Amino acid sequence: MSRFLHVVAVPEAVATAVGMAPDPVTEDIPADHAPGRVLCADVIAGEDIPGFDRSIVDGFAVRAEDTAGSSESVPALLRCAGRVAMGHAAAGFSVANGGCVYIPTGGVLPKGANAVVMVENTEETGDMVLVKRPVSYGENILLHDDDYRRGAVVLPAGRRLSPRDAGVLAACGRTSVIVSKKPVVGIISTGNELVPVTATPGPGQVRDANASMLAAYLREYGCTPKFYGIVPDEHEAFETVISRALPECDVLLLSGGSSKDDRDMTARVVAGRGEVLVHGIAIAPGKPTIIGRIDGKPVFGLPGHPASAFVVFIVIVCPLLDRMLGQTKALLHTTRATLGDNIPSQKGREEYFRVRLVNGTAQPVFGKAGLLNTLVASDGLVRIPSGCEGLELGSEVDVILW
Ligand code: AMP
Ligand code: MG
């Protein structure tokens, strides 16, 4: 008996998956460990940054008006009142009419000055300085709150932190940040023909590629993958592993078991322990996908072909993970490209076609289902909407980079 009860469109499948997401669980971690993690609370500037008006060049702090009209042939002549020392307030110095003060990059701007002339545009003769180029008001100066004003949002909640952000956190005096905990995602491969990576496949056998592929991507995505090995196409064995994995994981990914008989088994096991919410998605590749819930936890039955499993993972599972991580912007990047060939597609299903990018052209990677080489040969996917019978050579497309 087929349990392909009702094939749903991709947006409905995504909404079903995302609808199961528990709220992000937070934890406090050292700021320099935060890159790759998703921020769960805004980071607010506790003070103005940089906190004092400073020079952004080596030169002379001046009053801009004193340099007006100066040039190489007719320089302005200013009297130097001293030198600003790094790391100290410029107390004791001020720039008066016709005066200037030497200031290094990052030095505190002395009172009275409103611009800095680069040292390259000056010449020192004794305690006099020739200025050979005029500067405008505020030139070469960073004001005390130019970077961040006290109370400003420096990094918003929902942002996936980068190594650059770690530097900004340090500049803000933050040693720790509140991020979402990494969801633990259990990976179970099913199929009588599957053997571990370390085995030499016998006739009819294939190595388990999906578990490694999914785990690698999950790690990159900021989750913790957990392997539960290969399970034969047997109801009881499958149920036993699922029962063991459930309490240890936040999400379960089952791959394989998408041929009709197998699928029935996966669906029966999920239905027996919980509920099947979606059974078949109008997506290619990846139609025979199951979305279910057991003990309140999302469970996915992904198709066995590695490329299909990966497409479904990206299109359906990643939005759920985004929600669990509290991430506001999808991690996947897209780029515009011109299609280098026609791609035929069937109306009524959303198709994700593998393409290779060559100098701004998206070249379709044609190949039979089940090939691994198309995964390596492609740079990403072009989405063909369900109401579309294909895309024509020369059309502008978004390429989802993977
Ligand atoms: P299934 O979805 O179980 O019908 O499997 C479809 C195809 O994917 C079959 O050729 C399987 O051998 C293959 N397959 C299933 N699981 C995996 C896996 N974990 N790694 C590599 N190939 C797989
Ligand atoms: Mg199978």
Side-chain angles (χ1 to χ4, degrees), residues 125-147:
T125 55
D127 59 356
M128 297 306 283
V129 177
L130 300 174
V131 174
K132 301 174 177 177
R133 217 213 72 177
V135 280
S136 51
Y137 189 91
E139 197 168 328
N140 295 326
I141 287 171
L142 202 62
L143 293 179
H144 59 101
D145 60 355
D146 261 353
D147 219 347

Side-chain angles (χ1 to χ4, degrees), residues 189-190 193-194 206-210 255-259 262 303-306:
S189 301
T190 72
E193 78 285 16
L194 297 181
V206 291
R207 292 194 181 98
D208 175 7
N210 289 348
S255 87
S258 68
S259 70
D262 291 346
H305 282 314

Side-chain angles (χ1 to χ4, degrees), residues 3 190 192 231-243 261-273:
R3 287 174 176 245
T190 72
N192 290 338
V231 181
D233 295 316
E234 290 161 20
H235 191 109
E236 232 169 79
F238 203 9
E239 206 172 47
T240 305
V241 176
I242 287 180
S243 298
D261 299 341
D262 291 346
R263 186 183 57 247
D264 279 353
M265 186 195 73
T266 304
R268 266 203 311 276
V269 172
V270 176
R273 293 277 281 107

Side-chain angles (χ1 to χ4, degrees), residues 262-335:
D262 291 346
R263 186 183 57 247
D264 279 353
M265 186 195 73
T266 304
R268 266 203 311 276
V269 172
V270 176
R273 293 277 281 107
E275 53 185 329
V276 172
L277 303 171
V278 167
H279 195 176
I281 302 175
I283 187 173
K287 181 180 173 188
T289 294
I290 294 162
I291 306 177
R293 178 161 46 199
I294 308 177
D295 299 344
K297 294 184 178 172
V299 178
F300 293 88
L302 305 177
H305 282 314
S308 312
F310 202 51
V311 167
V312 172
F313 176 78
I314 281 183
V315 177
I316 311 291
V317 181
C318 284
L320 164 86
L321 298 175
D322 286 342
R323 183 62 67 89
M324 293 175 73
L325 287 162
Q327 179 164 278
T328 43
K329 201 171 121 198
L331 187 61
L332 284 169
H333 297 290
T334 60
T335 185

Side-chain angles (χ1 to χ4, degrees), residues 44-76:
I44 307 287
E47 66 254 318
D48 289 346
I49 294 178
F52 58 94
D53 298 348
R54 70 182 187 192
S55 175
I56 56 172
V57 296
D58 292 333
F60 289 89
V62 297
R63 287 155 30 94
E65 48 274 41
D66 289 346
T67 68
S70 64
S71 66
E72 198 74 40
S73 51
V74 190

Side-chain angles (χ1 to χ4, degrees), residues 76-95:
L77 192 62
L78 304 178
R79 181 173 296 281
C80 186
R83 303 175 87 83
V84 171
M86 286 300 282
H88 294 281
F93 289 130
S94 64
V95 174

